[in-house]
């Protein structure tokens, strides 16, 4: 497909809008001396651009007739690939499937709502709008890119606008928070870059057969080149490296290009890079600072979309490309997920700052996402993992809606009373009834009340964990109690109570229509997806199922090959009388060659040994 | 060979060489012209003359040959210089930079009518030396070229006459330079003494023969000479621990001179490092020594039918027999070609210890240079001093490309080409980034009369275009996509990874990780400046500088910054040209 298509249109619409905004004239005052920005015009234009982007997304993917996004297939849809930097086999390749599609909708939707929440921004509005739109391009690009290099470029593109959006329009400690955010992400992405390069140079397209190549969204020229090399088979040809994410996943699962050591390390490097973004402990500390300092709309974007990139990266890149790492590090991933949940919940409980509390609740809730991805049970047929991933993906969407809503609610009250001290609120129920109703609904969605969007994701993840580790399941289920505690306590302190205790009581006024409609949209989405979760799950179900099945097939092969290795190594040691020693030495050898095995497989190896002896 | 034939050879050789030596001749002519004009009248603005000179130099460098596969290598002046893709590419970069630089100086107004002739003479003289550096094929030329570049640079550093800092900078630079030159000359004499030649390919050939049965003391002398020569190049590159001059000189000299020193001189030194590393680490396919061996046979070899035509170094169409006899056969058969490749591979294999030594030496320098440069830059309060350390750190990133080059040379020639081309790509990007940065600093100096970072506070309100451009350039220097600095870094990182995948040498992994972490460290100090400019409160003090930042300045800055933003769109062409430029050089 050509470069100019609906996907590139959606990605670059905000950029084009940003360029157009740059040429917007400023207003002159009556003497024509002092210039001022035409704030309403700028904001309306930005809102229009984001709304158009959203409308195009809906129009193309949901209403596009036969051309729309189909929910009943696991394939990449609307995928295209254009030559970009052939010197490094880099292509401008994009496409979307069931994993990225809901996130695209979330991104365009939350972006439009966040612009709607931007009327509280007072200074340098033109720069703000331009940076905001560039940010949207970066976010959409990350979710749509199918080329690892392109993915990385978009991943970093979104850093710069975010840095300035926090650093210029943020609160008192904005500069510190902005640089902390920047530095954490950059450190993570440098590790990611190393992993990208290692995987690139280890990859080899010629190891794939023609049937597979056809499904990978590769350029025709690339495919024909690979086929030519294969046809010219003296077995001694130079490898064809690739950045294509689908091809890398195929190579990771179906060939021996990536050795277990490479996979283990690359998984770790990539995982750290994504974990910073999720964020999970121990690399979460940038998040509370960034959230507290960021202006309300940017907090909405940060919580609603940016954090999802980490989760998206883990499921799109870490697991399919480096399954060995995923299998071996399952306990690390799940452990970090549960630890984040527990730690985030306790930290939220301890906060005095309203926004900081919501920020820690994000750490806690994103822990479910990490946990859901990590549930790769060593036994069972993968249904639990499917459930876990579905739950995690649903949690990403649900949290995107509820956390954006919660930050918006905090922002509304902050705009009026200019403080966020939880102990100095109270009685807002009487002063701002509509606002309080919306806020309670959104906070309950964050809490995970059944019937609201927070519940589905959490329950799916917790259920799927049981088979993996009952202990983790019990711990993660009981986090719900902590969540209920800090949210109910916050509601009690802020909204209930006899009277408002803090400063600026005179400025409290009911919310206006703009604020109400943003809140109402978010709340109705929270209810809608809570009651009909299948609205989202039906889009991702097939893709997730296909990915899990293919990874499970890989695992069967992998474990068989590991067993085989064990058996051969045992046979090679030709001292049948010292069978115990042999089994032990086999273990030692295995750990040496970086096949760290589960104890289960070791036991099986011992069984194999004894069988051999009997023969 | 009698005297007569010797003369004929030399004449033919010189005639050919002169044609390919035009850029240098062009520069020399214009240097004389500056001095003559100066004699006649002091009122003529020499800028236009200089610009014509630079453009003439650019054209005579034949940039259009880049990327074409016909560009073949040849030795000039009996092997003193070499003319190949790398020469053309580097000359193009240098001359192109010269053009942009002259425009920059004109706009910023540093060379006034009074001392314009001096400055242009010095700049052209230094550029002449750099052109020789990038085509050096002989240790004497290496030394000569470095000196020809350095001596005008010393004077340029002290350009701000009457300022203590300027004079101090010039003096420091000269003393360090003299010391480094002395050490390097000593190293050259040791190497030449060991191998009884100063011609790089001959040295490589000689080394390949004597290396296997070398005594320990001889090996020690060889290592010593390599380290000493490295010291000379490291001084030009301001590589730690030979960097001490850089911050002081950059602080003392004006921003214009800094731009010249940090870009042109560094680019030339990098090309020289490439020449030395590849020249000593491998035997070229067509060496004089090779030819000498085959000379006896050449008389007997009839020009066989053209199955495989690989043009050799000097293609001469001199008719008489003697010339044909002395020159190489213009055409050779596939068999001979294969044979030659095999012989080269055998020699290269013997040179593996040399390559390994160079790679480790460079890796060591690269690791300490990037780390030290980035850490030291953090504490600076003067923007020029900060950029001096940033330049040091970038020199570290750039010389990293030598490690994969050495590791892959003789193992995987396409990988080695990638490494060399990665370095070229980085240089291209670096030209724009540093020129833009120093141009903005110079314009802002004219405007506010200060180069302290704290005085840039809140500058976004008064000079938004310049500040945005400087921010983009700084982010590019950090290496953030989609800015061009990322592409240069990516190419070098990729090349290191490629070498690591192929050889699994631990030091390659170490430099990769160090380079990655340094990228994150470098964010601090660039961001500190950006933060001051964009988020700081404007200073209340009135600007003390007398010149406004006008439209021309802004337009120039935008024109220089644009490539750092837009190169990602058309990166393939740069990568392709860089790749083509080094093909002959590596093979």
């Amino acid at each position: 497909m050509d470069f100019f298509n609906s996907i590139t249109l959606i990605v670059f619409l905000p950029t084009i809008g940003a360029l157009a905004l740059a040429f917007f004239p400023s207003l002159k005052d009556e003497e024509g001396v002092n210039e001022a920005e035409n704030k309403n015009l700028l904001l309306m234009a930005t809102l229009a651009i984001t709304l158009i982007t959203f409308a195009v997304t809906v129009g193309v993917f949901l209403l596009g007739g036969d051309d729309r996004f189909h929910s009943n297939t696991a394939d990449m849809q609307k995928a295209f690939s254009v030559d970009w930097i052939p010197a490094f086999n880099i292509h401008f390749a994009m496409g979307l499937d069931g994993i990225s599609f809901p996130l695209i909708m979330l991104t365009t939707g939350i972006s439009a709502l966040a612009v709607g929440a931007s009327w509280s921004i007072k200074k340098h509005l033109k720069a703000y709008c331009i940076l905001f739109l560039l940010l949207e391009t970066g976010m959409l690009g990350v979710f749509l890119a199918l080329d690892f290099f392109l993915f990385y470029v978009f991943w970093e593109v979104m850093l710069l606008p975010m840095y300035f959006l926090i650093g210029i329009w943020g609160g008192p400690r904005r500069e510190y928070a902005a640089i902390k955010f920047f530095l954490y992400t950059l450190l993570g992405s440098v590790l990611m870059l190393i992993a990208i390069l290692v995987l690139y140079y280890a990859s080899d397209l010629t190891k794939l057969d023609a049937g597979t190549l056809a499904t990978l969204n590769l350029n025709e020229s690339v495919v024909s080149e690979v086929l030519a090399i294969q046809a010219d088979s003296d077995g001694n040809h130079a490898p064809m490296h690739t950045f294509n994410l689908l091809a890398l996943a195929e190579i990771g699962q179906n060939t021996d290009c990536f050795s277990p050591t490479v996979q283990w390390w690359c998984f770790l490097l990539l995982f750290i890079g994504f974990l910073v973004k999720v964020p999970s402990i121990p690399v979460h500390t940038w998040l509370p600072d960034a959230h507290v300092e960021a202006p309300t709309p940017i907090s909405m974007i940060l919580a609603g979309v940016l954090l999802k990139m980490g989760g998206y990266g883990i499921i799109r890149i870490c697991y399919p490309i480096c399954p060995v790492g995923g299998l071996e590090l399952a306990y690390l991933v799940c452990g970090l997920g549960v630890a984040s949940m527990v730690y985030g919940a306790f930290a939220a409980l301890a906060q005095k700052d309203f926004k900081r509390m919501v920020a820690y609740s994000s750490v806690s809730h994103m822990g479910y996402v990490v946990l859901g991805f990590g549930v790769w049970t060593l036994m069972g047929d993968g249904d639990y993992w499917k459930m876990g991933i579905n739950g995690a993906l649903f949690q990403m969407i649900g949290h995107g809606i509820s956390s954006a809503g919660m930050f918006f609610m905090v922002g509304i009250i902050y705009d009026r009373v200019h403080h966020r001290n939880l102990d100095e609120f109270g009685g807002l129920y009487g002063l701002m009834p509509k606002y309080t109703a919306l806020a309670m609904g959104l906070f309950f969605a964050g809490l995970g009340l059944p019937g609201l969007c927070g519940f589905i994701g959490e329950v799916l993840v917790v259920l799927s964990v049981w088979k993996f580790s009952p202990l983790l399941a019990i711990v993660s289920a009981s986090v719900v109690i902590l969540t209920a505690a800090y949210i109910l306590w916050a509601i009690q302190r802020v909204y209930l109570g006899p009277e408002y205790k803090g400063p600026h009581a005179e400025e409290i006024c009911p919310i206006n229509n703009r604020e109400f409609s943003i809140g109402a949209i978010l709340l109705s989405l929270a209810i809608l997806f809570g009651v009909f979760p299948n609205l989202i799950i039906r889009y991702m179900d097939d893709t997730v199922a296909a990915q899990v099945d293919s990874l499970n097939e890989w695992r069967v092969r992998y474990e068989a090959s590991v067993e085989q290795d064990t058996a051969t190594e045992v046979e090679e040691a030709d001292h049948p009388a010292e069978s115990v020693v042999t089994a032990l030495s086999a273990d030692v050898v295995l750990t040496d060659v970086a096949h760290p095995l589960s104890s289960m497989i070791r036991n099986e190896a011992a069984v194999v040994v004894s069988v051999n002896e009997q023969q | 060979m009698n005297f007569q034939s010797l003369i004929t050879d030399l004449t033919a050789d010189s005639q050919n060489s002169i044609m390919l030596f035009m850029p240098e001749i062009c520069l020399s002519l214009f240097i004389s012209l500056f001095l003559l004009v100066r004699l006649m009248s002091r009122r003529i603005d020499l800028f236009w003359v200089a610009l014509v000179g630079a453009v003439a130099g650019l054209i005579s460098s034949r940039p259009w040959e880049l990327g074409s596969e016909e560009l073949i290598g040849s030795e000039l002046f009996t092997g003193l210089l070499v003319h190949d893709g790398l020469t053309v590419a580097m000359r193009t970069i240098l001359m192109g930079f010269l053009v942009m630089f002259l425009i920059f100086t004109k706009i910023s107004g540093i060379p006034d009518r009074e001392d314009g002739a001096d400055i242009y003479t010095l700049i052209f003289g230094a550029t002449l030396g750099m052109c020789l550096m990038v085509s050096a094929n002989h240790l004497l030329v290496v030394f000569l070229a470095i000196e020809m570049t350095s001596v005008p640079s010393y004077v340029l550093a002290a350009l701000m006459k009457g300022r203590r800092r300027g004079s101090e900078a010039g003096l420091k630079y000269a003393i360090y330079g003299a010391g480094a030159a002395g050490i390097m000359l000593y190293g050259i004499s040791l190497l030449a003494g060991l191998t009884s030649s100063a011609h790089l390919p001959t040295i490589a050939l000689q080394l390949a023969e004597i290396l296997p049965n070398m005594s320990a003391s001889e090996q020690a002398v060889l290592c010593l000479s390599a380290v000493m020569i490295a010291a000379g190049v490291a001084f030009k590159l301001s590589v730690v621990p030979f960097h001490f001059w850089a911050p002081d000189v950059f602080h003392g000299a004006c921003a214009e001179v800094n731009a010249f020193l940090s870009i042109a001189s560094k680019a030339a030194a990098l090309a020289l490092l490439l020449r030395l590393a590849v020249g000593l680490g491998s035997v070229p396919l067509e060496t004089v020594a090779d030819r000498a061996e085959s000379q006896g046979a050449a008389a007997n070899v009839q020009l066989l039918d053209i199955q495989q035509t690989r043009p050799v170094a000097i293609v001469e169409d001199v008719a008489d027999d003697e010339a044909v006899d002395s020159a190489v056969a213009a055409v050779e058969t596939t068999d001979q070609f294969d044979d030659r490749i095999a012989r080269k591979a055998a020699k290269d294999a013997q040179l593996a210890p040399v390559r390994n030594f160079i790679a480790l030496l460079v890796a060591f320098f690269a690791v300490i240079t990037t780390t030290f440069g980035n850490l030291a830059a953090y504490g600076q309060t003067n923007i020029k001093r900060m950029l001096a350390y940033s330049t040091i750190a970038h020199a570290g990133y750039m010389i990293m490309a030598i490690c994969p080059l050495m590791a892959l040379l003789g193992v995987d020639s396409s990988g080695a080409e990638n490494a060399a081309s990665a370095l070229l790509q980085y240089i291209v990007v670096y030209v724009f980034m540093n020129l833009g940065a120093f141009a903005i600093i110079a314009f802002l100096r004219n405007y506010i009369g200060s180069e302290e970072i704290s005085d840039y506070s809140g500058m976004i309100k008064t000079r938004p275009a310049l500040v945005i451009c400087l921010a983009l350039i700084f982010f590019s220097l950090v290496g953030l996509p989609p800015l061009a600095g990322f592409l240069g870094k990516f190419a070098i990182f990729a090349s290191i990874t490629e070498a690591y995948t192929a050889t699994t040498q631990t030091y390659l992994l170490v430099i990769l990780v160090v380079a990655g972490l340094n990228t994150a460290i470098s964010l601090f100090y660039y961001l500190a400046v950006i933060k001051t400019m964009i988020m700081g409160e404007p200073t209340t003090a009135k600007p003390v500088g007398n010149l406004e930042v006008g439209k021309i300045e802004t337009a120039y800055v935008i024109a220089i910054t644009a490539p750092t933003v837009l190169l990602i769109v058309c990166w393939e062409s740069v990568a392709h040209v860089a790749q083509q430029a080094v093909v002959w050089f590596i093979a």
Side-chain angles (χ1 to χ4, degrees):
Chain A
M1 214 203 277
D2 198 24
F3 177 78
F4 296 99
N5 55 46
S6 52
I7 290 189
T8 42
L9 176 72
I10 290 167
V11 172
F12 289 110
L13 244 178
T15 311
I16 298 167
L19 285 178
L21 279 189
F23 295 102
F24 266 42
S26 1
L27 279 184
K28 292 215 163 91
D29 64 5
E30 279 159 17
E31 292 96 43
V33 185
N34 294 319
E35 294 189 19
E37 287 170 319
N38 193 342
K39 289 193 172 154
N40 261 326
L41 181 70
L42 282 170
L43 277 172
M44 289 310 278
T46 315
L47 185 61
I49 294 161
T50 48
L51 280 177
I52 291 171
T53 315
F54 180 67
V56 172
T57 323
V58 172
V60 172
F61 297 144
L62 288 181
L63 314 169
D66 284 345
D67 217 21
R68 70 177 199 278
F69 183 82
H70 298 285
S71 61
N72 50 3
T73 167
D75 294 340
M76 274 293 160
Q77 301 183 36
K78 296 182 177 293
F80 70 97
S81 170
V82 182
D83 270 351
W84 184 16
I85 310 176
F88 283 103
N89 297 319
I90 295 168
H91 300 275
F92 195 97
M94 288 184 159
L96 74 168
D97 64 1
I99 295 175
S100 44
F101 171 69
L103 291 166
I104 298 294
M105 300 302 293
L106 180 75
T107 306
T108 49
I110 295 287
S111 295
L113 291 176
V115 176
S118 296
W119 257 261
S120 53
I121 302 291
K122 297 290 180 231
K123 58 177 184 182
H124 311 311
L125 210 59
K126 189 190 244 180
Y128 173 86
C129 293
I130 291 174
L131 288 170
F132 188 96
L133 291 170
L134 292 179
L135 178 68
E136 191 180 357
T137 290
M139 297 186 298
L140 288 170
V142 167
F143 290 131
L144 285 167
L146 287 184
D147 183 285
F148 217 159
F149 182 88
L150 187 63
F151 176 88
Y152 184 79
V153 168
F154 277 120
W155 181 271
E156 300 272 295
V157 159
M158 143 231 98
L159 261 182
L160 287 185
M162 204 62 196
Y163 168 73
F164 287 114
L165 286 170
I166 298 175
I168 298 179
W169 291 273
R173 288 172 75 234
R174 54 181 180 256
E175 289 169 12
Y176 167 77
I179 202 163
K180 198 168 176 183
F181 158 79
F182 205 150
L183 200 72
Y184 269 73
T185 319
L186 188 69
L187 205 59
S189 49
V190 165
L191 297 180
M192 192 155 83
L193 182 63
I194 293 176
I196 291 175
L197 287 169
V198 169
L199 288 172
Y200 172 72
Y201 280 108
S203 66
D204 185 0
L205 279 179
T206 56
K207 297 268 175 73
L208 299 173
D209 59 52
T212 320
L213 286 171
T215 63
L216 298 178
N217 185 32
L218 291 162
N219 270 17
E220 277 172 29
S221 58
V222 175
V223 174
S224 54
E225 200 177 329
V226 173
L227 292 181
I229 292 177
Q230 284 172 343
D232 184 31
S233 60
D234 51 353
N236 220 347
H237 49 73
M240 271 282 285
H241 303 313
T242 182
F243 275 116
N244 183 312
L245 284 176
L246 303 177
L248 286 174
E250 202 62 44
I251 291 168
Q253 293 169 34
N254 295 330
T255 71
D256 54 357
C257 287
F258 304 155
S259 70
T261 325
V262 167
Q263 292 202 18
W264 197 88
W265 277 105
C266 286
F267 184 92
L268 195 66
L269 291 177
L270 293 168
F271 187 64
I272 295 173
F274 295 131
L275 212 57
V276 170
K277 207 58 159 207
V278 167
S280 157
I281 61 167
V283 284
H284 67 284
T285 55
W286 64 269
L287 183 85
D289 287 315
H291 265 313
V292 168
E293 302 306 326
T296 305
I298 302 310
S299 277
M300 289 169 70
I301 291 284
L302 199 57
V305 184
L306 244 67
L307 306 191
K308 278 57 199 182
M309 288 179 180
Y312 175 76
I314 293 174
I315 198 62
R316 165 76 77 220
I317 290 167
C318 283
Y319 279 97
I321 297 180
C322 310
V324 176
L327 198 58
E328 311 270 343
L329 294 172
Y331 274 100
L332 175 78
V333 177
C334 290
L336 282 177
V338 172
S340 301
M341 286 157 61
V342 175
Y343 173 83
F346 273 117
L349 208 50
Q351 296 312 314
K352 293 257 182 288
D353 185 312
F354 199 1
K355 209 169 179 186
R356 220 176 166 81
M357 185 215 86
V358 180
Y360 273 110
S361 86
S362 281
V363 175
S364 174
H365 284 134
M366 289 307 283
Y368 284 98
V369 175
V370 177
L371 179 62
F373 288 148
V375 182
W376 198 354
T377 52
L378 288 166
M379 48 201 83
D381 52 6
D383 279 348
Y384 293 100
W385 200 30
K386 269 178 215 167
M387 192 199 265
I389 293 181
N390 270 330
L393 288 175
F394 191 92
Q395 173 77 352
M396 296 218 288
I397 306 294
H399 178 255
I401 293 166
S402 66
S403 69
M406 288 196 277
F407 278 114
F408 183 55
M409 291 300 133
V410 176
I412 288 179
I413 189 66
Y414 180 73
D415 285 345
R416 284 166 176 68
V417 299
H418 308 291
H419 79 92
R420 291 184 301 255
N421 189 349
L422 275 171
D423 291 333
E424 293 186 61
F425 287 113
L428 293 181
Y429 187 56
L431 298 167
M432 303 167 74
K434 275 201 285 186
Y435 164 70
T436 306
L438 286 178
M440 283 188 174
L442 285 164
F443 276 97
F444 282 136
L447 188 157
L449 203 67
L452 294 166
C453 63
F455 174 68
I456 311 292
E458 286 176 20
V459 84
L460 284 179
V461 170
V462 171
L463 282 178
S464 70
V465 178
W466 181 260
K467 201 67 184 269
F468 177 78
S469 156
L471 175 70
L472 290 184
I474 292 169
V475 174
S476 57
S478 45
V479 169
V480 175
I481 301 170
L482 289 175
T483 314
Y486 66 76
I487 286 197
L488 290 175
W489 194 26
I491 288 179
Q492 183 197 334
R493 281 183 290 176
V494 176
Y495 300 105
L496 307 180
E499 58 172 357
Y500 177 73
K501 292 174 290 207
H504 301 290
E506 68 287 352
E507 287 180 38
I508 296 179
C509 56
I511 56 173
N512 58 31
N513 288 338
R514 179 179 56 81
E515 290 164 337
F516 178 76
S517 41
I518 294 172
I521 292 172
L522 285 168
L523 181 59
S524 42
L525 284 177
I527 297 170
L528 184 69
F529 293 139
V531 178
F532 302 106
N534 209 33
L535 283 177
I536 298 176
I537 290 182
R538 76 192 178 101
Y539 283 107
M540 47 204 195
D541 210 14
D542 285 309
T543 314
V544 170
Q547 179 160 337
V548 169
D549 288 343
S550 119
L551 278 170
N552 272 322
E553 279 167 32
W554 165 84
R555 208 188 73 210
V556 171
R557 283 197 306 276
Y558 175 70
E559 282 170 2
S561 77
V562 169
E563 255 175 63
Q564 187 121 35
D565 287 354
T566 324
T568 3
E569 299 216 1
V570 172
E571 271 170 24
E572 275 169 9
D574 47 11
H575 289 289
E578 304 160 18
S579 64
V580 182
V581 182
T582 322
L584 279 177
S585 72
D587 266 357
V588 174
V589 171
L590 282 165
T591 10
D592 278 350
V593 294
H595 280 281
L597 281 174
S598 67
S599 56
M600 181 195 76
I601 298 177
R602 286 210 188 107
N603 294 341
E604 283 179 13
V607 173
V608 173
V609 175
S610 57
V611 170
N612 282 346
E613 276 171 8
Q614 282 165 11
Q615 283 170 350
Chain B
M1 195 188 292
N2 59 18
F3 183 68
Q4 179 69 34
S5 73
L6 194 68
I7 293 292
T8 329
D9 287 357
L10 279 177
T11 325
D13 181 41
S14 302
Q15 275 170 353
N16 280 306
S17 302
I18 291 230
M19 284 316 293
L20 296 172
F21 197 60
M22 281 318 274
E24 285 84 350
I25 293 174
C26 194
L27 288 176
S28 312
L29 282 178
F30 273 89
I31 291 174
S32 331
L33 194 62
F34 294 144
L35 298 173
L36 286 178
V37 171
R38 176 77 186 262
L39 278 183
M40 286 184 282
S41 160
R42 287 185 167 253
R43 305 228 57 85
I44 299 171
D45 187 358
L46 276 173
F47 165 72
W48 299 105
V49 184
L51 192 62
V52 169
V55 172
L58 180 60
I59 293 170
S60 57
S61 309
R62 310 185 182 206
W64 57 86
E65 283 185 357
L66 279 174
S68 77
E69 285 167 18
E70 283 129 49
L71 188 66
I72 54 162
S74 58
E75 290 193 330
L76 308 187
F77 299 118
T78 66
L80 283 175
L81 300 176
V82 63
H83 180 270
D84 57 12
L86 184 66
T87 313
V88 177
M90 287 309 301
R91 272 181 187 162
T92 308
I93 292 175
L94 287 172
M95 297 294 187
F97 167 73
L98 189 59
V99 173
M100 292 188 288
F101 176 72
L102 287 174
I103 298 172
F104 162 41
T105 53
K106 172 72 182 166
I107 297 172
S108 84
I110 269 296
D112 48 21
R113 290 201 180 176
E114 182 59 32
D115 52 10
D118 300 341
I119 293 174
Y120 292 131
T121 311
L122 291 169
I123 288 173
F124 273 54
T127 312
L128 177 61
M130 291 166 195
C131 286
L132 291 177
M133 267 162 105
V134 303
S135 53
N137 198 34
H138 195 282
L139 287 178
L140 271 183
V141 178
V142 170
F143 180 74
L144 257 178
I146 286 193
E147 284 304 289
M148 279 179 78
T149 315
S150 297
V151 174
S153 307
Y154 304 150
V155 188
L156 280 173
L159 193 61
M160 309 298 268
K161 285 171 285 190
R163 284 213 195 157
R164 283 184 70 123
R165 275 203 175 280
S167 315
E168 185 191 332
L171 191 62
K172 262 189 186 152
Y173 197 13
I175 291 173
Y176 273 106
I183 292 174
M184 184 175 192
L185 197 56
Y186 191 33
I188 288 176
S189 67
L190 286 181
L191 186 58
L194 267 180
T195 57
S196 57
S197 170
H199 179 230
L200 281 175
T202 318
I203 292 178
L205 207 62
Q206 198 71 20
L207 275 180
E209 276 165 22
I210 62 175
L211 212 53
N213 36 24
M214 223 179 196
S215 70
S217 61
E218 277 176 323
Q219 279 175 5
V221 172
L222 187 63
C223 292
L224 192 65
S225 71
V227 173
M228 283 175 154
I229 295 176
V233 181
F235 162 76
K236 288 296 324 163
L237 281 169
S238 65
V239 157
V240 178
F242 305 98
H243 68 285
F244 291 105
W245 62 273
D248 291 334
V249 168
F250 276 56
H251 194 177
C254 59
E256 289 82 351
V257 175
N258 290 347
F260 188 73
L261 292 183
S262 77
I263 300 167
S265 148
K266 196 150 284 189
L270 282 165
L272 180 67
L273 182 62
L274 264 183
R275 287 253 181 249
L276 284 173
V278 174
L280 293 176
S282 74
V283 183
L285 209 49
E286 324 294 340
T287 64
V288 171
D290 223 1
R291 247 176 277 153
E293 274 176 38
S294 60
Q295 230 166 39
N300 304 333
V301 173
Q302 291 160 2
L303 302 182
L304 297 170
D305 38 338
I306 307 165
Q307 289 176 327
Q308 149 78 33
T309 59
R310 171 131 183 148
V312 239
I314 305 166
V315 183
E316 295 183 55
D317 50 358
V318 184
D320 54 343
D321 289 352
E322 283 166 347
V324 172
D325 187 301
S326 64
V328 228
V331 178
E332 52 184 351
T333 62
T334 320
D335 284 351
Q336 282 174 314
F337 183 59
D338 285 349
D339 179 44
R340 208 178 265 263
I341 296 246
R343 244 188 306 154
K344 172 184 157 58
K347 298 278 186 218
D348 278 356
Q350 284 168 333
L351 282 173
V354 175
R355 290 195 297 272
N356 208 17
F357 182 76
I358 297 176
L360 284 173
L361 191 66
V362 173
F364 170 73
F365 279 134
V367 165
I368 57 172
T369 303
T370 35
T371 312
F372 176 84
N374 280 326
L375 291 179
Y378 185 54
Q380 303 308 319
T381 55
N382 181 291
I383 186 111
K384 286 194 304 192
R385 224 178 158 77
M386 188 212 90
L387 273 177
Y389 283 109
S390 137
T391 322
I392 292 173
H394 277 270
Y397 291 122
M398 288 193 266
I399 59 172
M400 278 177 187
I402 303 292
C403 303
L405 176 59
M406 288 293 105
L408 291 173
L409 202 63
V411 181
D412 169 12
S413 72
S414 84
E417 279 166 23
N418 284 342
S421 99
L423 180 54
L424 272 188
Q425 295 172 38
Y426 203 122
I427 292 175
V428 171
V429 176
Y430 183 76
V431 166
F432 289 106
M433 294 192 298
N434 260 27
L435 181 58
F438 281 114
I440 293 170
I441 289 170
F443 297 150
L444 288 180
R445 173 205 61 207
N446 287 348
Y447 176 54
I448 59 167
S450 165
E451 283 154 349
E452 295 300 313
I453 294 172
S454 55
D455 288 335
Y456 284 4
S457 183
M459 189 76 89
I460 183 96
K461 301 212 169 60
T462 45
R463 301 284 136 216
L466 257 55
V467 168
I468 289 172
C469 286
L470 190 58
L472 284 172
I473 286 170
F474 275 6
F475 281 127
S476 178
L477 283 168
V478 178
L480 285 180
L483 301 164
F486 165 68
L487 297 164
K489 268 198 182 142
F490 178 80
I492 287 189
F493 285 19
S495 171
I496 298 173
T497 319
E498 184 178 16
Y500 175 68
T501 317
T503 63
T504 63
Q505 295 272 7
T506 318
Y507 70 91
L508 290 167
L509 191 63
V510 170
I511 55 173
L512 183 64
V513 171
V514 167
L517 292 181
N518 266 295
T519 303
I521 296 175
S522 70
L523 179 73
F524 267 122
Y525 59 90
Y526 291 120
L527 213 49
V529 180
I530 296 171
K531 197 179 80 180
T532 311
M533 290 188 309
I534 295 183
M535 300 171 197
E537 285 305 311
T539 45
T540 43
K542 284 261 180 215
V544 291
N546 37 10
L547 295 167
E548 260 298 313
V549 182
K551 286 207 168 59
I552 302 173
E553 282 90 335
T554 314
Y556 180 80
V557 167
I558 291 174
I560 296 293
T561 315
T564 60
V565 181
L566 299 176
L567 265 179
I568 193 164
V569 179
C570 52
W571 189 244
E572 175 57 17
S573 48
V574 179
H576 178 74
V577 168
Q579 194 84 27
Q580 288 294 330
V582 295
V583 166
W584 182 275
F585 167 60
I586 299 293

